Amino acid sequence: MSEKGFTGNSNRRSGFFKRYTDVWEAFLAIIVGFFIGGLVISWSGFDAIAAILRMLEGGFGSGYYLTTTLTRSTPIIFAGFAAALAWGSGYPSLGASGQMILGAMISSQIAISVDGPEIIIIILSILGGMIAGMIYSLISGWISDRFRIYLLIVTLMMNYIADNIASYFTHYFIKDPFGLDSSAIQTQKIEVGFFPRIFSDFTTHYGLIIALVLAGVLWFIKYRTVFGYRARMGGLNALFAEYGGLNSKKMMYGVLLLSGAMAGMGGACEVLGTRFRYVDGMISSSGYAWSGIIASLIANNHPIGIVFSSIFLAGLTTGGSAVERSMSVPSEVSAIIQSIITLLMTAKFIVSYRHGKFGIFKKSYSKIAKRISSMKPSKAENK
Amino acid sequence: MKINAEFIAVLINSTIRMTSPILLATLAAALCSKVKLFNIALEGAMISGAFFSILANDVTGSVLVSILAGSLGGLAVCAIVGLLVIQFNASEVVAGLIANTLMTASTTYLLYIFFNTKGVYTSLDLVDLPKVSLPFINKLPLLGTILSNLTILDYFAYFSAVGIYIFLYKTIIGFRLRAVGINKEAARSLGTPVNRYQFLTISLSGLLCGLGGCLLSMGTVTLFIEGITSGRGYIALAANAVGQSHPLGVLLSCAFFGATQALGNVLQNTDLKTQITSSIPYLSTILVLIVYSVYIKWKNNRARNIEEK
């Protein structure tokens, strides 16, 4: 690496390392994340290497594990789309959880109550879930826009409220009247009109196919249409986009509606694909929405990237429970590794390194710092 | 449920106790917004404070050490977020949110490693925060009820609101700190080390949150539950918006949020379903923000009308 290569603002972007900075950043973050996770595991008295290998095997090792991972990744992909749409357009919304919950509940009710051919039931039920998500997203967006409140805070509060609404309805109105186990807070099982499985032996269902198709559609919308271009520009620099003639209000509602639709659809697919009913707390306790946000952050809001990052995160989670089963390491270790990877990625260490941001360590680790600073042209520290 | 003077006194007492953890977190949020940082990691810092104070409590059995451990636990979370945000240009929202999920997961993990349990940990060996009993007021009928069962940290929370007000508005360091928030470039041109100010402020906010977490886990009952904060860090952000980041304004808005939580707790004993009572704090957060925004709009309109006349 020549000395010129470390000047951050050089326009010439050639060379593999420089060109794919994002990919390298993700790769390094994953390695360091696993390393720190390993340190945590071995500090708590377990065999770190065996645990991490078991985690990877439990996530992606065999056909059974891989399909379990894919099943788990399906709602995460949808939540990731929802997050990517909102965050990538400059409207950071955390409402995916609440929208998924309501989408799941509504779609289960439609699937139970509507009679007719299977395909019609499925379509209606997905549509119902989408509309529920859209309406809930619209409410949050309207409150945030009309009263100038942080969208983050509104959506967070709306998540808690949605969880309580769904729990209330499942407890008192739509609880399965014929269930053998009266303590289970869940609706009736859907008898006709759920997704068939892709492979007959494994749980992976057609929701994954829908998600993959949607990834392509969203990619097209984002990078090949005027709407997507405007949304991206709004995300990059809202003021500049508005100056360039963007109607940011219209944009916000459009983006939030689409994002709510994605989240609601994710909830519907989870009901139609894996549980076949709405169970109280099935969305909030499994943390799909949070994983989706993390997936979208890792993939830098790119729809195709989200598919991969979601599968990766889901694999870590299923691997985490495998580790808990066989080695009694708490499954939270996978969440810890996920968070560390994301934290490392948000900091963009490679870019910071090129900009000489590591200067703060100079005083304490002067030797290493001297070596680093001899490698790069020193820039003003307080930039 | 009988509504009489004694009942209202109990309700006020419960409000005071509910307010203090939120107040500590909201003061933290207020400090951060004074230096133009949107610190969403309050929730994670509170969980961390709650956990580490219980851990230190279990290991040493000393109240002072557990308060110290709790505050340091909170400080560490916010300091890491501050480092990432200020030095490495990470997005403050993203870094804060991830710090929250990290702390939620790692406290559950550590709970299992140290106490071999998942979900809840409590033990008879744990020491409670000492309750302050005032010599004469204790005997008075209503005031005695209102001020009963308050711990030292409760008093600390209210005094720190006044302390932070004096610090921000009556000292030179506080003046410089506010200058950083008003105009970063101007403050820098006057020789204020902006990054250092921001970093120290966010660390201080972590310390306050850690104390808030300590109050949650050791205040009324001494135990640690997964997700013990139940969104208080986020509610603090809302309370900060309503209180306009002013330490004394924040005191009022927090009192309101504390009252809604106390009310939610009281209503649990009635026929109302738990789902309704447990959404009261969140619903009222949104409602208060709406009412506040309408009020500001009305005030601005009135000011404009008077000017036009």
Side-chain angles (χ1 to χ4, degrees), chain B residues 21 43-44 46-51 53-54 104 107-108 119-121 212-219 221-233 261 282:
Chain B
E43 178 91 356
M46 279 179 105
I47 295 183
S48 166
F51 176 79
S53 60
I54 285 289
T104 315
T107 46
T108 311
V120 190
Y121 175 73
C214 178
L215 195 51
L216 280 179
S217 62
M218 290 169 58
V221 279
T222 306
L223 52 81
F224 182 82
I225 317 172
E226 264 178 58
I228 187 169
T229 50
S230 58
R232 281 186 179 82
Q261 297 209 330
Y282 312 113

PDB file of all heavy atoms in Angstrom, chain B residues 21 43-44 46-51 53-54 104 107-108 119-121 212-219 221-233 261 282:
ATOM      1  N   PRO B  21     -36.029   7.510  38.976  1.00  0.00           N
ATOM      2  CA  PRO B  21     -35.169   6.915  37.941  1.00  0.00           C
ATOM      3  C   PRO B  21     -35.322   7.606  36.595  1.00  0.00           C
ATOM      4  O   PRO B  21     -34.325   7.843  35.894  1.00  0.00           O
ATOM      5  CB  PRO B  21     -35.618   5.459  37.863  1.00  0.00           C
ATOM      6  CG  PRO B  21     -36.719   5.278  38.785  1.00  0.00           C
ATOM      7  CD  PRO B  21     -36.950   6.518  39.547  1.00  0.00           C
ATOM      8  N   GLU B  43     -31.169   3.847  27.627  1.00  0.00           N
ATOM      9  CA  GLU B  43     -31.798   2.591  28.036  1.00  0.00           C
ATOM     10  C   GLU B  43     -30.733   1.540  28.369  1.00  0.00           C
ATOM     11  O   GLU B  43     -30.784   0.914  29.426  1.00  0.00           O
ATOM     12  CB  GLU B  43     -32.690   2.110  26.887  1.00  0.00           C
ATOM     13  CG  GLU B  43     -33.383   0.810  27.122  1.00  0.00           C
ATOM     14  CD  GLU B  43     -34.747   0.979  27.739  1.00  0.00           C
ATOM     15  OE1 GLU B  43     -35.110   2.116  28.057  1.00  0.00           O
ATOM     16  OE2 GLU B  43     -35.415  -0.043  27.916  1.00  0.00           O
ATOM     17  N   GLY B  44     -29.756   1.403  27.479  1.00  0.00           N
ATOM     18  CA  GLY B  44     -28.695   0.423  27.702  1.00  0.00           C
ATOM     19  C   GLY B  44     -27.892   0.756  28.944  1.00  0.00           C
ATOM     20  O   GLY B  44     -27.534  -0.124  29.729  1.00  0.00           O
ATOM     21  N   MET B  46     -28.942   2.331  31.539  1.00  0.00           N
ATOM     22  CA  MET B  46     -29.738   2.035  32.733  1.00  0.00           C
ATOM     23  C   MET B  46     -29.720   0.550  33.054  1.00  0.00           C
ATOM     24  O   MET B  46     -29.552   0.143  34.215  1.00  0.00           O
ATOM     25  CB  MET B  46     -31.187   2.487  32.530  1.00  0.00           C
ATOM     26  CG  MET B  46     -31.397   3.959  32.771  1.00  0.00           C
ATOM     27  SD  MET B  46     -33.113   4.399  32.496  1.00  0.00           S
ATOM     28  CE  MET B  46     -33.676   4.610  34.157  1.00  0.00           C
ATOM     29  N   ILE B  47     -29.899  -0.283  32.007  1.00  0.00           N
ATOM     30  CA  ILE B  47     -29.878  -1.735  32.241  1.00  0.00           C
ATOM     31  C   ILE B  47     -28.532  -2.137  32.823  1.00  0.00           C
ATOM     32  O   ILE B  47     -28.440  -2.905  33.793  1.00  0.00           O
ATOM     33  CB  ILE B  47     -30.142  -2.501  30.930  1.00  0.00           C
ATOM     34  CG1 ILE B  47     -31.545  -2.226  30.423  1.00  0.00           C
ATOM     35  CG2 ILE B  47     -29.961  -3.987  31.135  1.00  0.00           C
ATOM     36  CD1 ILE B  47     -31.903  -2.995  29.204  1.00  0.00           C
ATOM     37  N   SER B  48     -27.469  -1.564  32.234  1.00  0.00           N
ATOM     38  CA  SER B  48     -26.136  -1.887  32.704  1.00  0.00           C
ATOM     39  C   SER B  48     -25.972  -1.482  34.169  1.00  0.00           C
ATOM     40  O   SER B  48     -25.450  -2.255  34.988  1.00  0.00           O
ATOM     41  CB  SER B  48     -25.128  -1.174  31.807  1.00  0.00           C
ATOM     42  OG  SER B  48     -23.871  -1.189  32.367  1.00  0.00           O
ATOM     43  N   GLY B  49     -26.430  -0.276  34.511  1.00  0.00           N
ATOM     44  CA  GLY B  49     -26.332   0.182  35.888  1.00  0.00           C
ATOM     45  C   GLY B  49     -27.101  -0.723  36.831  1.00  0.00           C
ATOM     46  O   GLY B  49     -26.612  -1.095  37.909  1.00  0.00           O
ATOM     47  N   ALA B  50     -28.321  -1.128  36.400  1.00  0.00           N
ATOM     48  CA  ALA B  50     -29.143  -1.989  37.244  1.00  0.00           C
ATOM     49  C   ALA B  50     -28.443  -3.316  37.487  1.00  0.00           C
ATOM     50  O   ALA B  50     -28.395  -3.818  38.616  1.00  0.00           O
ATOM     51  CB  ALA B  50     -30.496  -2.223  36.577  1.00  0.00           C
ATOM     52  N   PHE B  51     -27.858  -3.874  36.411  1.00  0.00           N
ATOM     53  CA  PHE B  51     -27.234  -5.185  36.565  1.00  0.00           C
ATOM     54  C   PHE B  51     -25.983  -5.117  37.436  1.00  0.00           C
ATOM     55  O   PHE B  51     -25.821  -5.900  38.370  1.00  0.00           O
ATOM     56  CB  PHE B  51     -26.888  -5.772  35.197  1.00  0.00           C
ATOM     57  CG  PHE B  51     -26.158  -7.079  35.312  1.00  0.00           C
ATOM     58  CD1 PHE B  51     -26.867  -8.232  35.586  1.00  0.00           C
ATOM     59  CD2 PHE B  51     -24.791  -7.152  35.188  1.00  0.00           C
ATOM     60  CE1 PHE B  51     -26.217  -9.427  35.737  1.00  0.00           C
ATOM     61  CE2 PHE B  51     -24.134  -8.344  35.340  1.00  0.00           C
ATOM     62  CZ  PHE B  51     -24.854  -9.490  35.605  1.00  0.00           C
ATOM     63  N   SER B  53     -25.025  -2.986  39.598  1.00  0.00           N
ATOM     64  CA  SER B  53     -25.207  -2.694  41.016  1.00  0.00           C
ATOM     65  C   SER B  53     -25.665  -3.939  41.763  1.00  0.00           C
ATOM     66  O   SER B  53     -25.222  -4.190  42.888  1.00  0.00           O
ATOM     67  CB  SER B  53     -26.206  -1.552  41.197  1.00  0.00           C
ATOM     68  OG  SER B  53     -27.425  -1.888  40.649  1.00  0.00           O
ATOM     69  N   ILE B  54     -26.526  -4.752  41.121  1.00  0.00           N
ATOM     70  CA  ILE B  54     -26.948  -6.006  41.770  1.00  0.00           C
ATOM     71  C   ILE B  54     -25.768  -6.959  41.904  1.00  0.00           C
ATOM     72  O   ILE B  54     -25.573  -7.612  42.940  1.00  0.00           O
ATOM     73  CB  ILE B  54     -28.086  -6.666  40.955  1.00  0.00           C
ATOM     74  CG1 ILE B  54     -29.395  -5.920  41.168  1.00  0.00           C
ATOM     75  CG2 ILE B  54     -28.261  -8.115  41.345  1.00  0.00           C
ATOM     76  CD1 ILE B  54     -30.001  -6.100  42.535  1.00  0.00           C
ATOM     77  N   THR B 104     -28.779  -5.318  26.635  1.00  0.00           N
ATOM     78  CA  THR B 104     -29.863  -6.237  26.987  1.00  0.00           C
ATOM     79  C   THR B 104     -29.384  -7.676  26.911  1.00  0.00           C
ATOM     80  O   THR B 104     -29.621  -8.480  27.823  1.00  0.00           O
ATOM     81  CB  THR B 104     -31.050  -6.044  26.026  1.00  0.00           C
ATOM     82  OG1 THR B 104     -31.271  -4.650  25.864  1.00  0.00           O
ATOM     83  CG2 THR B 104     -32.296  -6.671  26.567  1.00  0.00           C
ATOM     84  N   THR B 107     -26.433  -8.443  29.598  1.00  0.00           N
ATOM     85  CA  THR B 107     -26.834  -8.596  30.996  1.00  0.00           C
ATOM     86  C   THR B 107     -27.522  -9.944  31.210  1.00  0.00           C
ATOM     87  O   THR B 107     -27.305 -10.590  32.233  1.00  0.00           O
ATOM     88  CB  THR B 107     -27.779  -7.469  31.451  1.00  0.00           C
ATOM     89  OG1 THR B 107     -28.770  -7.276  30.470  1.00  0.00           O
ATOM     90  CG2 THR B 107     -27.038  -6.189  31.687  1.00  0.00           C
ATOM     91  N   THR B 108     -28.322 -10.378  30.212  1.00  0.00           N
ATOM     92  CA  THR B 108     -28.936 -11.700  30.338  1.00  0.00           C
ATOM     93  C   THR B 108     -27.864 -12.784  30.386  1.00  0.00           C
ATOM     94  O   THR B 108     -27.934 -13.726  31.182  1.00  0.00           O
ATOM     95  CB  THR B 108     -29.880 -11.958  29.163  1.00  0.00           C
ATOM     96  OG1 THR B 108     -30.735 -10.835  29.021  1.00  0.00           O
ATOM     97  CG2 THR B 108     -30.727 -13.174  29.390  1.00  0.00           C
ATOM     98  N   GLY B 119     -33.820 -14.736  33.458  1.00  0.00           N
ATOM     99  CA  GLY B 119     -35.058 -14.017  33.758  1.00  0.00           C
ATOM    100  C   GLY B 119     -34.941 -13.125  34.977  1.00  0.00           C
ATOM    101  O   GLY B 119     -34.756 -11.938  34.859  1.00  0.00           O
ATOM    102  N   VAL B 120     -35.032 -13.724  36.153  1.00  0.00           N
ATOM    103  CA  VAL B 120     -35.068 -12.913  37.374  1.00  0.00           C
ATOM    104  C   VAL B 120     -33.964 -13.384  38.319  1.00  0.00           C
ATOM    105  O   VAL B 120     -33.689 -14.570  38.412  1.00  0.00           O
ATOM    106  CB  VAL B 120     -36.426 -13.057  38.093  1.00  0.00           C
ATOM    107  CG1 VAL B 120     -36.538 -12.036  39.205  1.00  0.00           C
ATOM    108  CG2 VAL B 120     -37.562 -12.905  37.123  1.00  0.00           C
ATOM    109  N   TYR B 121     -33.333 -12.440  39.003  1.00  0.00           N
ATOM    110  CA  TYR B 121     -32.449 -12.840  40.087  1.00  0.00           C
ATOM    111  C   TYR B 121     -32.766 -12.023  41.322  1.00  0.00           C
ATOM    112  O   TYR B 121     -32.809 -10.799  41.285  1.00  0.00           O
ATOM    113  CB  TYR B 121     -30.975 -12.643  39.721  1.00  0.00           C
ATOM    114  CG  TYR B 121     -30.077 -12.947  40.895  1.00  0.00           C
ATOM    115  CD1 TYR B 121     -29.884 -14.251  41.308  1.00  0.00           C
ATOM    116  CD2 TYR B 121     -29.462 -11.935  41.622  1.00  0.00           C
ATOM    117  CE1 TYR B 121     -29.100 -14.551  42.401  1.00  0.00           C
ATOM    118  CE2 TYR B 121     -28.675 -12.221  42.715  1.00  0.00           C
ATOM    119  CZ  TYR B 121     -28.501 -13.539  43.101  1.00  0.00           C
ATOM    120  OH  TYR B 121     -27.742 -13.832  44.182  1.00  0.00           O
ATOM    121  N   GLY B 212     -29.641   5.783  37.842  1.00  0.00           N
ATOM    122  CA  GLY B 212     -31.068   5.519  37.641  1.00  0.00           C
ATOM    123  C   GLY B 212     -31.344   4.027  37.617  1.00  0.00           C
ATOM    124  O   GLY B 212     -32.308   3.546  38.217  1.00  0.00           O
ATOM    125  N   GLY B 213     -30.474   3.284  36.907  1.00  0.00           N
ATOM    126  CA  GLY B 213     -30.638   1.832  36.853  1.00  0.00           C
ATOM    127  C   GLY B 213     -30.481   1.214  38.226  1.00  0.00           C
ATOM    128  O   GLY B 213     -31.228   0.299  38.609  1.00  0.00           O
ATOM    129  N   CYS B 214     -29.509   1.724  38.981  1.00  0.00           N
ATOM    130  CA  CYS B 214     -29.273   1.242  40.346  1.00  0.00           C
ATOM    131  C   CYS B 214     -30.521   1.444  41.194  1.00  0.00           C
ATOM    132  O   CYS B 214     -30.925   0.578  41.982  1.00  0.00           O
ATOM    133  CB  CYS B 214     -28.087   2.002  40.905  1.00  0.00           C
ATOM    134  SG  CYS B 214     -27.670   1.601  42.559  1.00  0.00           S
ATOM    135  N   LEU B 215     -31.164   2.582  40.987  1.00  0.00           N
ATOM    136  CA  LEU B 215     -32.386   2.893  41.730  1.00  0.00           C
ATOM    137  C   LEU B 215     -33.512   1.933  41.344  1.00  0.00           C
ATOM    138  O   LEU B 215     -34.327   1.536  42.185  1.00  0.00           O
ATOM    139  CB  LEU B 215     -32.782   4.336  41.427  1.00  0.00           C
ATOM    140  CG  LEU B 215     -33.798   5.025  42.304  1.00  0.00           C
ATOM    141  CD1 LEU B 215     -33.415   4.874  43.742  1.00  0.00           C
ATOM    142  CD2 LEU B 215     -33.846   6.489  41.931  1.00  0.00           C
ATOM    143  N   LEU B 216     -33.537   1.548  40.044  1.00  0.00           N
ATOM    144  CA  LEU B 216     -34.576   0.616  39.598  1.00  0.00           C
ATOM    145  C   LEU B 216     -34.409  -0.743  40.251  1.00  0.00           C
ATOM    146  O   LEU B 216     -35.374  -1.362  40.690  1.00  0.00           O
ATOM    147  CB  LEU B 216     -34.514   0.448  38.077  1.00  0.00           C
ATOM    148  CG  LEU B 216     -35.131   1.518  37.216  1.00  0.00           C
ATOM    149  CD1 LEU B 216     -34.935   1.157  35.769  1.00  0.00           C
ATOM    150  CD2 LEU B 216     -36.602   1.633  37.521  1.00  0.00           C
ATOM    151  N   SER B 217     -33.148  -1.220  40.290  1.00  0.00           N
ATOM    152  CA  SER B 217     -32.956  -2.593  40.767  1.00  0.00           C
ATOM    153  C   SER B 217     -32.857  -2.659  42.289  1.00  0.00           C
ATOM    154  O   SER B 217     -33.058  -3.717  42.860  1.00  0.00           O
ATOM    155  CB  SER B 217     -31.715  -3.202  40.132  1.00  0.00           C
ATOM    156  OG  SER B 217     -30.579  -2.479  40.494  1.00  0.00           O
ATOM    157  N   MET B 218     -32.518  -1.548  42.944  1.00  0.00           N
ATOM    158  CA  MET B 218     -32.351  -1.617  44.389  1.00  0.00           C
ATOM    159  C   MET B 218     -33.281  -0.681  45.153  1.00  0.00           C
ATOM    160  O   MET B 218     -33.184  -0.565  46.372  1.00  0.00           O
ATOM    161  CB  MET B 218     -30.905  -1.287  44.767  1.00  0.00           C
ATOM    162  CG  MET B 218     -29.932  -2.370  44.365  1.00  0.00           C
ATOM    163  SD  MET B 218     -28.239  -1.837  44.530  1.00  0.00           S
ATOM    164  CE  MET B 218     -28.154  -1.400  46.242  1.00  0.00           C
ATOM    165  N   GLY B 219     -34.186   0.014  44.438  1.00  0.00           N
ATOM    166  CA  GLY B 219     -35.005   0.996  45.120  1.00  0.00           C
ATOM    167  C   GLY B 219     -36.143   0.380  45.909  1.00  0.00           C
ATOM    168  O   GLY B 219     -36.052   0.166  47.111  1.00  0.00           O
ATOM    169  N   VAL B 221     -37.850  -2.735  45.379  1.00  0.00           N
ATOM    170  CA  VAL B 221     -37.478  -4.106  45.714  1.00  0.00           C
ATOM    171  C   VAL B 221     -36.096  -4.351  45.133  1.00  0.00           C
ATOM    172  O   VAL B 221     -35.736  -3.760  44.131  1.00  0.00           O
ATOM    173  CB  VAL B 221     -38.468  -5.134  45.130  1.00  0.00           C
ATOM    174  CG1 VAL B 221     -39.684  -5.240  45.993  1.00  0.00           C
ATOM    175  CG2 VAL B 221     -38.824  -4.771  43.714  1.00  0.00           C
ATOM    176  N   THR B 222     -35.323  -5.227  45.763  1.00  0.00           N
ATOM    177  CA  THR B 222     -33.965  -5.450  45.302  1.00  0.00           C
ATOM    178  C   THR B 222     -33.921  -6.721  44.478  1.00  0.00           C
ATOM    179  O   THR B 222     -33.885  -7.824  45.018  1.00  0.00           O
ATOM    180  CB  THR B 222     -33.015  -5.555  46.492  1.00  0.00           C
ATOM    181  OG1 THR B 222     -33.194  -4.389  47.280  1.00  0.00           O
ATOM    182  CG2 THR B 222     -31.583  -5.627  46.046  1.00  0.00           C
ATOM    183  N   LEU B 223     -33.971  -6.557  43.146  1.00  0.00           N
ATOM    184  CA  LEU B 223     -33.862  -7.717  42.258  1.00  0.00           C
ATOM    185  C   LEU B 223     -33.517  -7.233  40.857  1.00  0.00           C
ATOM    186  O   LEU B 223     -33.606  -6.039  40.558  1.00  0.00           O
ATOM    187  CB  LEU B 223     -35.167  -8.513  42.219  1.00  0.00           C
ATOM    188  CG  LEU B 223     -36.483  -7.811  41.919  1.00  0.00           C
ATOM    189  CD1 LEU B 223     -36.686  -7.584  40.449  1.00  0.00           C
ATOM    190  CD2 LEU B 223     -37.623  -8.638  42.454  1.00  0.00           C
ATOM    191  N   PHE B 224     -33.086  -8.158  40.021  1.00  0.00           N
ATOM    192  CA  PHE B 224     -32.845  -7.825  38.621  1.00  0.00           C
ATOM    193  C   PHE B 224     -33.731  -8.690  37.749  1.00  0.00           C
ATOM    194  O   PHE B 224     -33.749  -9.909  37.881  1.00  0.00           O
ATOM    195  CB  PHE B 224     -31.377  -8.048  38.251  1.00  0.00           C
ATOM    196  CG  PHE B 224     -31.071  -7.663  36.837  1.00  0.00           C
ATOM    197  CD1 PHE B 224     -30.839  -6.341  36.508  1.00  0.00           C
ATOM    198  CD2 PHE B 224     -31.054  -8.615  35.834  1.00  0.00           C
ATOM    199  CE1 PHE B 224     -30.587  -5.975  35.186  1.00  0.00           C
ATOM    200  CE2 PHE B 224     -30.797  -8.245  34.521  1.00  0.00           C
ATOM    201  CZ  PHE B 224     -30.569  -6.932  34.214  1.00  0.00           C
ATOM    202  N   ILE B 225     -34.508  -8.037  36.863  1.00  0.00           N
ATOM    203  CA  ILE B 225     -35.328  -8.751  35.888  1.00  0.00           C
ATOM    204  C   ILE B 225     -34.813  -8.379  34.508  1.00  0.00           C
ATOM    205  O   ILE B 225     -34.386  -7.246  34.299  1.00  0.00           O
ATOM    206  CB  ILE B 225     -36.814  -8.348  35.964  1.00  0.00           C
ATOM    207  CG1 ILE B 225     -37.263  -8.240  37.407  1.00  0.00           C
ATOM    208  CG2 ILE B 225     -37.678  -9.307  35.210  1.00  0.00           C
ATOM    209  CD1 ILE B 225     -38.649  -7.671  37.524  1.00  0.00           C
ATOM    210  N   GLU B 226     -34.897  -9.326  33.579  1.00  0.00           N
ATOM    211  CA  GLU B 226     -34.576  -9.005  32.188  1.00  0.00           C
ATOM    212  C   GLU B 226     -35.475  -7.867  31.726  1.00  0.00           C
ATOM    213  O   GLU B 226     -36.679  -7.885  31.968  1.00  0.00           O
ATOM    214  CB  GLU B 226     -34.863 -10.218  31.304  1.00  0.00           C
ATOM    215  CG  GLU B 226     -33.668 -11.073  31.021  1.00  0.00           C
ATOM    216  CD  GLU B 226     -34.074 -12.264  30.183  1.00  0.00           C
ATOM    217  OE1 GLU B 226     -34.612 -12.046  29.096  1.00  0.00           O
ATOM    218  OE2 GLU B 226     -33.857 -13.392  30.641  1.00  0.00           O
ATOM    219  N   GLY B 227     -34.896  -6.881  31.046  1.00  0.00           N
ATOM    220  CA  GLY B 227     -35.702  -5.764  30.564  1.00  0.00           C
ATOM    221  C   GLY B 227     -36.303  -4.965  31.696  1.00  0.00           C
ATOM    222  O   GLY B 227     -37.449  -4.530  31.635  1.00  0.00           O
ATOM    223  N   ILE B 228     -35.529  -4.780  32.787  1.00  0.00           N
ATOM    224  CA  ILE B 228     -36.035  -4.111  33.986  1.00  0.00           C
ATOM    225  C   ILE B 228     -36.408  -2.663  33.696  1.00  0.00           C
ATOM    226  O   ILE B 228     -37.277  -2.088  34.345  1.00  0.00           O
ATOM    227  CB  ILE B 228     -34.981  -4.203  35.103  1.00  0.00           C
ATOM    228  CG1 ILE B 228     -35.512  -3.671  36.426  1.00  0.00           C
ATOM    229  CG2 ILE B 228     -33.709  -3.467  34.741  1.00  0.00           C
ATOM    230  CD1 ILE B 228     -34.621  -3.971  37.585  1.00  0.00           C
ATOM    231  N   THR B 229     -35.766  -2.049  32.666  1.00  0.00           N
ATOM    232  CA  THR B 229     -36.017  -0.633  32.424  1.00  0.00           C
ATOM    233  C   THR B 229     -37.345  -0.400  31.709  1.00  0.00           C
ATOM    234  O   THR B 229     -37.909   0.684  31.823  1.00  0.00           O
ATOM    235  CB  THR B 229     -34.899  -0.036  31.573  1.00  0.00           C
ATOM    236  OG1 THR B 229     -34.719  -0.880  30.457  1.00  0.00           O
ATOM    237  CG2 THR B 229     -33.607   0.041  32.345  1.00  0.00           C
ATOM    238  N   SER B 230     -37.842  -1.403  30.985  1.00  0.00           N
ATOM    239  CA  SER B 230     -39.098  -1.342  30.217  1.00  0.00           C
ATOM    240  C   SER B 230     -39.318   0.011  29.544  1.00  0.00           C
ATOM    241  O   SER B 230     -40.326   0.664  29.734  1.00  0.00           O
ATOM    242  CB  SER B 230     -40.299  -1.718  31.081  1.00  0.00           C
ATOM    243  OG  SER B 230     -40.401  -0.879  32.187  1.00  0.00           O
ATOM    244  N   GLY B 231     -38.331   0.421  28.754  1.00  0.00           N
ATOM    245  CA  GLY B 231     -38.502   1.610  27.913  1.00  0.00           C
ATOM    246  C   GLY B 231     -38.344   2.931  28.629  1.00  0.00           C
ATOM    247  O   GLY B 231     -38.644   3.978  28.063  1.00  0.00           O
ATOM    248  N   ARG B 232     -37.876   2.928  29.893  1.00  0.00           N
ATOM    249  CA  ARG B 232     -37.745   4.204  30.596  1.00  0.00           C
ATOM    250  C   ARG B 232     -36.704   5.104  29.941  1.00  0.00           C
ATOM    251  O   ARG B 232     -36.845   6.324  29.959  1.00  0.00           O
ATOM    252  CB  ARG B 232     -37.371   3.957  32.052  1.00  0.00           C
ATOM    253  CG  ARG B 232     -38.547   3.551  32.902  1.00  0.00           C
ATOM    254  CD  ARG B 232     -38.117   3.462  34.343  1.00  0.00           C
ATOM    255  NE  ARG B 232     -39.212   3.089  35.208  1.00  0.00           N
ATOM    256  CZ  ARG B 232     -39.638   1.859  35.400  1.00  0.00           C
ATOM    257  NH1 ARG B 232     -39.063   0.879  34.750  1.00  0.00           N
ATOM    258  NH2 ARG B 232     -40.631   1.593  36.212  1.00  0.00           N
ATOM    259  N   GLY B 233     -35.672   4.501  29.357  1.00  0.00           N
ATOM    260  CA  GLY B 233     -34.658   5.306  28.676  1.00  0.00           C
ATOM    261  C   GLY B 233     -35.252   6.082  27.516  1.00  0.00           C
ATOM    262  O   GLY B 233     -34.865   7.214  27.241  1.00  0.00           O
ATOM    263  N   GLN B 261     -46.961   6.429  35.487  1.00  0.00           N
ATOM    264  CA  GLN B 261     -46.539   5.069  35.852  1.00  0.00           C
ATOM    265  C   GLN B 261     -47.150   4.658  37.183  1.00  0.00           C
ATOM    266  O   GLN B 261     -47.589   3.506  37.343  1.00  0.00           O
ATOM    267  CB  GLN B 261     -45.023   5.005  35.923  1.00  0.00           C
ATOM    268  CG  GLN B 261     -44.391   5.300  34.571  1.00  0.00           C
ATOM    269  CD  GLN B 261     -43.077   4.609  34.379  1.00  0.00           C
ATOM    270  OE1 GLN B 261     -42.353   4.366  35.323  1.00  0.00           O
ATOM    271  NE2 GLN B 261     -42.758   4.297  33.140  1.00  0.00           N
ATOM    272  N   TYR B 282     -46.838   4.528  27.897  1.00  0.00           N
ATOM    273  CA  TYR B 282     -46.430   4.771  26.507  1.00  0.00           C
ATOM    274  C   TYR B 282     -47.434   5.673  25.796  1.00  0.00           C
ATOM    275  O   TYR B 282     -47.062   6.587  25.063  1.00  0.00           O
ATOM    276  CB  TYR B 282     -46.280   3.440  25.784  1.00  0.00           C
ATOM    277  CG  TYR B 282     -45.468   2.462  26.588  1.00  0.00           C
ATOM    278  CD1 TYR B 282     -46.023   1.317  27.120  1.00  0.00           C
ATOM    279  CD2 TYR B 282     -44.126   2.730  26.863  1.00  0.00           C
ATOM    280  CE1 TYR B 282     -45.277   0.447  27.880  1.00  0.00           C
ATOM    281  CE2 TYR B 282     -43.375   1.871  27.627  1.00  0.00           C
ATOM    282  CZ  TYR B 282     -43.961   0.731  28.134  1.00  0.00           C
ATOM    283  OH  TYR B 282     -43.213  -0.112  28.892  1.00  0.00           O
TER     284      TYR B 282
END
